[in-house]
Amino acid sequence: KTRDISQDGAFLLTGPTNLDIGDVFELALKLTYAGLEKTHQLDGRVVRRAPGGVAVLFEDPDSETYEALLHLVFSQPTAGAY
């Protein structure tokens, strides 16, 4: 589960985990783009640990995944926007 997500990374709610800063692991993201839901596989690098989860940087997502992430990020209302 994600708490925050951008085109470059996400904060993943993991609970207790053995992941350390610098670890690279494969993750799957379900993203909807152009009316289709698709699971995208990509690598994430842990860049920060915090209570309840880890912040990851997406490692070289393919163009389709990156486009779907951009769509997700820029189609959401901005927090605090009027």
Side-chain angles (χ1 to χ4, degrees):
K1 215 174 169 184
T2 61
R3 183 179 73 195
D4 298 309
I5 191 166
S6 75
Q7 67 270 21
D8 297 316
F11 187 86
L12 306 178
L13 299 171
T14 61
T17 181
N18 291 328
L19 290 170
D20 287 319
I21 293 174
D23 286 353
V24 176
F25 63 99
E26 187 175 326
L27 62 128
L29 294 174
K30 278 189 183 178
L31 302 170
T32 301
Y33 179 61
L36 300 172
E37 182 177 88
K38 181 176 178 185
T39 300
H40 298 264
Q41 306 283 355
L42 66 157
D43 288 337
R45 177 180 302 276
V46 178
V47 294
R48 182 171 56 89
R49 289 179 54 125
V54 293
V56 299
L57 179 67
F58 300 139
E59 296 274 309
D60 300 320
D62 61 43
S63 59
E64 183 182 26
T65 300
Y66 194 74
E67 191 172 330
L69 284 164
L70 285 173
H71 175 75
L72 172 70
V73 170
F74 291 107
S75 68
Q76 301 300 311
T78 304
Y82 296 88

